Amino acid sequence: MTAFLKAARVVADLDDDFYHDERQRDVWNEASAVGFQLFQWCALVVGAVLPWVAGRGGAYVAIGVLATWFILSMVTIAYARARDVDVYATVKALRPRMIFAFVLYLAGIAGIYVELANPVDYDGATWAGVAVGAFVGAGAVATAFVWVRRRDRRREAEQAARDETEM
């Protein structure tokens, strides 16, 4: 067992007798999933709204909220992967809730930028930076879409190969 998995077991107290009862464990896992999803959505909404309604101070708080959201999400995914579970295995297309979460995240990032960049004196270099940033951002999004499509095709091919070997 890796140090990461050992630490996760300690943090979540997974060796407690509570987890020996299967029903208790299942209900607690569902409750934890509900709580985690509620945290995810609250963090995204707070991160998206704070910079716009609370100004510069809200932007600083939003940075902390969105950074915490991102880190906890990545740790959750890393734990699942460490236990040989791919959380994206059943994802075949972008769902509306994923798009909405992405829009909330972008609204928070945009609000943070607007509040903290303080773009008062726009000159040619600033506009050039905006254009380069837009180009790089669009390229990153396009790359991510290509990567997701290739990953999905690879998973479908692997599943088809497994299905053929089972027959």
Side-chain angles (χ1 to χ4, degrees), residues 54-148:
R56 196 168 190 83
Y60 285 118
V61 173
I63 290 172
V65 169
L66 292 178
T68 302
W69 169 83
F70 182 78
I71 290 167
L72 291 179
S73 297
M74 293 301 105
V75 168
T76 302
I77 291 168
Y79 181 82
R81 284 189 179 159
R83 300 290 312 265
D84 296 324
V85 173
D86 184 0
V87 297
Y88 298 112
T90 59
V91 177
K92 298 199 185 317
L94 290 177
R95 297 186 336 217
R97 64 182 274 139
M98 294 171 70
I99 294 168
F100 184 60
F102 185 68
V103 168
L104 283 174
Y105 186 76
L106 287 181
I109 297 299
I112 291 167
Y113 175 77
V114 166
E115 287 299 326
L116 299 182
N118 201 8
V120 176
D121 296 325
Y122 275 87
D123 60 359
T126 303
W127 288 110
V130 169
V132 169
F135 179 74
V136 170
V141 168
T143 301
F145 278 124
V146 168
W147 179 79
V148 167

Side-chain angles (χ1 to χ4, degrees), residues 5 35 97 150:
L5 287 177
R97 64 182 274 139
R150 285 183 182 165

Side-chain angles (χ1 to χ4, degrees), residues 45 49 71:
V45 169
V49 170
I71 290 167

